[in-house]
Amino acid sequence: MFEAFGEPIWRTPLPAIDELVSTILSQNTNDVNRDRGFDALRAKFPSWEAVRDAKAEDVMDAIRPAGLANQKGPRIQQVLLAITEERGVLDLEFLAELPVEEARAWLTKFNGVGPKTAAIVLCFSLNMPAFPVDTHIYRVSGRIGLRPEKMNVEQAHPYLESIFPPETYYAAHLNIIRLGREICGARKPNCPQCPIIKLCDYKEKRSE
């Protein structure tokens, strides 16, 4: 599907607990600011246990580059505390031994961990068959007709998982995001440069 778009992009996997925190930081911001907040947090605290037990103000100050620090700081600490209370340790590697739906349900029971966050942890860190749907994937999949136009984002997660083979989830996720960022932008999609323009429903609507 994306052969004309070049080689797929890949991510260096993080430990699952790191990916969880990073994804919470990514909410409502871009990757650059997320990474700045994450790196600052790791530089200030020697461990996730230290983040969990720190003063809320210190955590919020560290992650301020990621935006919404007053919301994300307490959320991160609450999730780390809840995981500790249930598991005794801050380690999510055990999820890889569970069926994917059971692992997804375990993650999403925590406040601030929705379907996208859970799917990112499962797919990227634990190599489990979950398909994350972010804003780019939701927009692009609707435009090119991969999903019903009026389907909401929560419904899009299981739907897109059903139409992609599990072994393609990782590459498909990253390459659709790349398409959304570089070509199929929200305001001004660059349709003439799109490698899958022949498969796209959106170009027909734009020409009407």
Side-chain angles (χ1 to χ4, degrees):
M1 181 178 179
F2 291 96
E3 292 175 357
F5 199 42
E7 291 297 318
I9 55 176
W10 304 97
R11 286 181 43 172
T12 301
L14 293 172
I17 195 74
D18 294 49
E19 190 69 73
L20 177 62
V21 173
S22 175
T23 307
I24 292 173
L25 288 171
S26 75
Q27 295 166 1
N28 298 297
T29 193
N30 57 43
D31 290 355
V32 173
N33 289 338
R34 173 203 64 198
D35 291 343
R36 288 175 62 203
F38 183 83
D39 292 344
L41 191 64
R42 295 313 309 267
K44 186 166 186 175
F45 298 99
S47 66
W48 292 122
E49 288 80 7
V51 173
R52 177 196 64 201
D53 300 334
K55 293 181 179 179
E57 294 79 7
D58 292 339
V59 174
M60 290 187 287
D61 285 345
I63 66 170
R64 211 160 293 284
L68 299 176
N70 292 354
Q71 297 176 27
K72 295 176 183 178
R75 184 174 299 166
I76 288 168
Q77 289 188 291
Q78 289 164 10
V79 169
L80 294 177
L81 178 60
I83 292 171
T84 305
E85 289 176 344
E86 180 149 342
R87 295 289 303 171
V89 292
L90 284 175
D91 190 324
L92 297 178
E93 303 305 313
F94 78 97
L95 293 172
E97 305 300 321
L98 302 178
V100 65
E101 290 307 321
E102 187 175 336
R104 194 196 315 268
W106 194 90
L107 284 170
T108 54
K109 69 185 177 182
F110 299 116
N111 184 39
V113 181
K116 183 191 80 170
T117 298
I120 287 174
V121 172
L122 297 176
C123 180
F124 292 156
S125 291
L126 301 173
N127 196 30
M128 297 176 74
F131 190 88
V133 178
D134 77 340
T135 183
H136 297 291
I137 289 179
Y138 183 70
R139 179 180 69 254
V140 172
S141 63
R143 282 181 175 173
I144 67 178
L146 274 178
R147 62 166 175 83
E149 186 175 2
K150 295 184 179 180
M151 175 177 284
N152 66 37
V153 67
E154 284 74 22
Q155 294 168 330
H157 280 85
Y159 183 84
L160 292 175
E161 285 185 353
S162 74
I163 66 172
F164 283 109
E167 64 272 16
T168 70
Y169 287 172
Y170 188 101
H173 170 86
L174 292 177
N175 279 293
I176 296 173
I177 286 178
R178 183 182 174 190
L179 183 67
R181 288 174 176 167
E182 298 182 13
I183 293 176
C184 194
R187 296 183 180 179
K188 294 182 179 180
N190 187 4
C191 295
Q193 296 298 315
C194 182
I196 59 170
I197 190 66
K198 293 181 180 179
L199 305 177
C200 183
D201 293 342
Y202 186 66
K203 71 179 191 302
E204 305 295 341
K205 294 178 182 179
R206 294 190 76 202
S207 61
E208 290 177 355

